[in-house]
Amino acid sequence: MSHQSEGEGSAPTPEELRVRIEHTREELGRTVEELAAKTDVKAQAKEKAAEVKERAAEAKDQAKVKAVEVTGQAKEVALEVTEQAKEKAAVLKEHAAEVKEQAAVRAALVGDQLREKAAEIEAKAPKTVRDGTEHAAAAARDHRGAVLVAAAVAVAALLLLRGNRRRR
């Protein structure tokens, strides 16, 4: 195609016309193909389905990766919590042993103090009182069941009296 002939206002040559016609045919062919593709609903549906399927596969893969990641994190947290619980249990066990030891020491001290006070009271008490308490202690040892029943009855009576006073 010569630009000279167009610029001069002369008629195009047969060769130029053939080139233009060929060019126009190619454009027209592309346009027809595009229009045909737009009107082919079945092909469009297949293409759309393929896109959706591909996106679903990608989402599935991402979900798998995320699940593995979250599972790993959950395992790490569970291990960490387990370790913390073990450490806390060990500390509490140590503390319980210390408290038990302190309680044993205090109980021994209180026992010693009670024995000392009992010895003082016994030393100050007259012989007849000592004999009477020894006799009462022996009787209590011999009749433990009866003493326990009497103590239970006394406690129940006190609780009943106390309950009646509160109601008034």
Side-chain angles (χ1 to χ4, degrees):
M1 188 164 35
S2 160
H3 292 282
Q4 263 182 346
S5 60
E6 287 179 15
E8 296 174 2
S10 63
T13 64
E15 183 59 34
E16 288 175 340
L17 287 175
R18 278 190 211 106
V19 169
R20 284 185 188 173
I21 291 170
E22 186 60 34
H23 179 67
T24 303
R25 281 185 183 156
E26 287 175 7
E27 282 183 26
L28 192 61
R30 282 193 298 266
T31 303
V32 168
E33 285 177 8
E34 288 174 8
L35 287 172
K38 286 183 181 180
T39 59
D40 189 359
V41 175
K42 188 175 180 180
Q44 288 179 358
K46 283 183 181 180
E47 187 177 309
K48 190 71 168 175
E51 288 175 18
V52 169
K53 187 175 179 181
E54 186 177 319
R55 281 188 293 202
E58 288 173 6
K60 178 183 169 189
D61 291 343
Q62 289 175 353
K64 280 183 181 180
V65 168
K66 190 68 174 175
V68 168
E69 182 180 306
V70 168
T71 302
Q73 290 173 349
K75 285 179 182 178
E76 288 176 13
V77 168
L79 286 174
E80 187 175 317
V81 167
T82 302
E83 285 300 315
Q84 290 174 353
K86 285 179 182 178
E87 290 171 6
K88 191 75 159 176
V91 168
L92 289 174
K93 187 176 179 181
E94 262 182 47
H95 183 67
E98 290 172 8
V99 168
K100 183 179 177 183
E101 187 177 316
Q102 290 172 356
V105 168
R106 287 185 183 154
L109 281 173
V110 169
D112 291 344
Q113 291 173 349
L114 285 175
R115 281 189 280 284
E116 287 176 14
K117 286 290 181 187
E120 284 178 27
I121 292 170
E122 188 178 334
K124 291 179 183 176
K127 174 105 171 105
T128 55
V129 172
R130 276 185 267 151
D131 291 342
T133 54
E134 286 176 9
H135 179 68
R141 275 193 300 272
D142 292 343
H143 300 91
R144 276 197 179 138
V147 170
L148 289 174
V149 169
V153 168
V155 168
L158 282 174
L159 290 174
L160 286 173
L161 287 173
R162 194 174 184 193
N164 286 337
R165 285 184 189 158
R166 286 188 180 171
R167 288 186 198 146
R168 292 181 185 171

